[in-house]
Amino acid sequence: MTTLPFIKMHGLGNDYVYVECFRKETKDIIARTDLSDLARRVSDRHFGVGSDGLVLMMPSKIADAKMLIFNADGSEAEMCGNAIRCVAKYLYESQLCTSQQMEIETLAGIRPLKVQAMDGVVQQVTVNMGIPVIESRTLLCANNPIGYTFVNMGNPHAVFFSEKIQQLPADTNVEFVRVINNKELSVRVIERGSGETLACGTGACASAVAAIYHGLTERNVTVHLPGGDLTVQWKDNLYPIFMTGTAEEVFRGNYTY
């Protein structure tokens, strides 16, 4: 039997099981563990801890820390905007990183962050999400062409401004967007490997990018998700996009398997 300490955290209800891998004993456990299998086990909401996936927080040679993400189905993800805010919160509050500005390595590259803290407790985190890549595409649905906007935020997103879709693009995250006004969007997200989630940071950014690209909103957008709101800012098409939101710790425990 193996016992693994974990922290349960969420960003707007997009919840993950987090494992700190800075200590030797934990690193040794992770090194001999099938991480895809572990992600499936801990993510099960009936027989495990229950989450949208597993996140490992570990040392990095090129940044303040490194983040690895495994979806609930065991597949590995490149980036998660909600998860990275939670990682920043943990690093700062645990004093593993004492600066309010930090860099976190992901499979999508290094992401700079800035935490807003009060009395040592993180209130909000702003993430530099990088420069998005945008492309208009067409999906053939029941022999009818339906246009959508493909946005790469370090991970792939298909953004639809309609919910009348019978077939979804394969191997990508999907956002269904309703424009409320020129400053607000309402978004539902189906995450690759996890299903519909209460929030998705990269999905919120992709939705805002698509709306700005098509002239539907201004460049500062509030994205309403089932789990809460994120603020997205995109100064210009050649600039990185910035996302701001909360991060919350739920509980800590030990998972035995």
Side-chain angles (χ1 to χ4, degrees), residues 92-93 100 116-123:
Y92 184 79
E93 293 181 357
Q100 291 190 347
Q116 301 171 35
M118 182 180 297
D119 298 325
V121 178
V122 174
Q123 306 298 313

Side-chain angles (χ1 to χ4, degrees), residues 157-254:
H157 291 267
V159 181
F160 292 89
F161 291 93
S162 169
E163 294 192 1
K164 298 178 181 179
I165 308 297
Q166 298 173 342
Q167 179 183 346
L168 300 178
D171 197 31
T172 189
N173 303 284
V174 178
E175 284 74 41
F176 296 101
V177 181
R178 180 169 61 88
V179 179
I180 299 174
N181 54 51
N182 65 351
K183 294 183 179 180
E184 296 178 277
L185 300 175
S186 176
V187 179
R188 290 177 62 187
V189 183
I190 297 176
E191 286 199 57
R192 176 185 56 175
S194 295
E196 185 169 3
T197 57
L198 292 177
C200 176
T202 54
C205 291
S207 300
V209 164
I212 295 167
Y213 177 74
H214 291 294
L216 301 175
T217 64
E218 297 179 1
R219 289 189 170 271
N220 291 353
V221 183
T222 298
V223 180
H224 302 289
L225 298 137
D229 297 346
L230 290 172
T231 302
V232 178
Q233 297 175 305
W234 194 26
K235 182 179 178 180
D236 186 83
N237 290 17
L238 299 179
Y239 280 74
I241 189 166
F242 288 86
M243 173 199 64
T244 301
T246 59
E248 301 290 339
E249 180 176 325
V250 185
F251 61 87
R252 301 187 184 198
N254 293 300

